[in-house]
Amino acid sequence: MPGNATCENPRVPALAEVIAALEQAYPPELAESWDAVGLVCGDPAEHVDKVLFCVDPVDETVDEAIAGGAQLIVAHHPLLLRGVHGVPADSTKGRLVHRLIRAGVALYCAHTNADSASPGVSDALADAIGLTVLGPLDPREDGVTGIGRIGELPAPEPFSAFVERVANALPRTEPGVYGAGDPDRPIRRVAVSGGSGDSYLKRATAAGVDAYVTADLRHHPAGEHLADIAEVPALVGVTHWASEWPWCEQASGVVRAAFAGNVDVHVSTRCTDPWTLRATRTEH
């Protein structure tokens, strides 16, 4: 009947329509061959009027979705990345699948396809930091999509100020934000890569950037990078979750725009970073 937002109202999309909007923004063909993206569970014919966006499909975000009445979780990280032969309810991931199905909540994951898309994960990170994006760090053949982004600040600033900028731009985590480089070095041109990005250290160096922002920087690759005889970018390390969380707002905007406000979208602010405590040595 007119004015009733029921399942018969064509303005309330089916799950399949929401997925189509997401896959137009984040084409599955952009995903790496090893990745597992797409619909994990849920009936494509069911209607969706509330969606929760998050980085990690874990107990906390499943709790949030169920409590909030969402019919769909859109997560960045896959739940079932490696091949499985079953999802028994007495396993960690199986338990989540059973909870989702029982509650009528679908799960859709956009991972490396969202990393490479334009705009994608690294565009959201660059925007949060205040960079004007110039192009991909590791471009695909089209020169537009690809992993990471290169961008510029409006004006140069000391590396110490830039590290503070990154810390203030991203959600708080216990490990915080750390930098490696001369505190007074002027920073203008910057590379970013959401998620684990130390495999792109050489690309960042070749791009001639002043600093590189990424997550999960490992001791040896970072140390070898900084010891290089060439002038190399200063490094800014953040947690994996914090580097990818800005994408949730970007992805929610895709659904919001596609369905003219007929789908209620929420971005989870629950920190699913695994690190919950930090301690420093007390000097006596």
Side-chain angles (χ1 to χ4, degrees):
M1 294 177 63
N4 292 333
T6 66
C7 288
E8 288 73 32
N9 189 330
R11 294 183 302 161
V12 179
L15 173 58
E17 296 174 87
V18 178
I19 291 173
L22 289 165
E23 292 189 345
Q24 183 174 2
Y26 310 115
E29 58 267 26
L30 292 179
E32 299 295 321
S33 60
W34 50 263
D35 204 2
V37 303
L39 187 63
V40 176
C41 63
D43 184 348
E46 292 290 327
H47 285 74
V48 171
D49 61 21
K50 185 174 287 188
V51 185
L52 180 73
F53 292 80
C54 63
V55 175
D56 297 299
V58 292
D59 278 317
E60 293 85 352
T61 47
V62 171
D63 289 342
E64 186 175 1
I66 293 173
Q71 298 91 26
L72 170 63
I73 295 173
V74 176
H76 180 50
H77 289 148
L79 177 63
L80 306 174
L81 180 58
R82 294 176 177 84
V84 296
H85 300 288
V87 284
D90 60 353
S91 67
T92 300
K93 295 188 176 184
R95 183 182 71 250
L96 284 179
V97 172
H98 281 260
R99 288 189 65 204
L100 289 165
I101 292 172
R102 287 170 182 153
V105 180
L107 173 62
Y108 181 86
C109 301
H111 192 212
T112 53
N113 51 325
D115 288 329
S116 282
S118 180
V121 171
S122 290
D123 293 278
L125 175 58
D127 184 63
I129 295 171
L131 302 174
T132 298
V133 171
L134 305 176
L137 173 62
D138 184 22
R140 297 170 69 95
E141 290 182 0
D142 61 12
V144 176
T145 60
I147 300 294
R149 293 295 182 267
I150 297 170
E152 283 188 347
L153 292 169
E157 62 189 33
F159 181 56
S160 59
F162 180 70
V163 175
E164 290 290 336
R165 170 192 286 268
V166 175
N168 290 328
L170 298 181
R172 180 185 178 279
T173 61
E174 283 303 321
V177 173
Y178 46 92
D182 179 353
D184 298 320
R185 177 178 178 173
I187 304 297
R188 178 72 185 274
R189 190 176 172 93
V190 178
V192 302
S193 181
S196 303
D198 61 17
S199 61
Y200 298 100
L201 287 168
K202 291 189 182 301
R203 283 200 169 270
T205 300
V209 299
D210 304 310
Y212 179 40
V213 182
T214 192
D216 302 338
L217 285 167
R218 293 172 295 166
H219 177 89
H220 292 296
E224 291 166 6
H225 165 82
L226 295 168
D228 199 312
I229 59 172
E231 185 173 5
V232 298
L235 300 179
V236 181
V238 300
T239 71
H240 198 116
W241 173 81
S243 75
E244 295 175 331
W245 184 81
W247 169 80
C248 296
E249 183 60 39
Q250 180 197 97
S252 72
V254 170
V255 173
R256 188 183 297 113
F259 301 103
N262 290 306
V263 175
D264 191 7
V265 298
H266 294 267
V267 171
S268 177
T269 58
R270 299 191 183 195
C271 178
T272 52
D273 193 278
W275 314 113
T276 58
L277 293 173
R278 178 178 58 181
T280 57
R281 178 186 173 96
T282 302
E283 300 294 340
H284 298 286

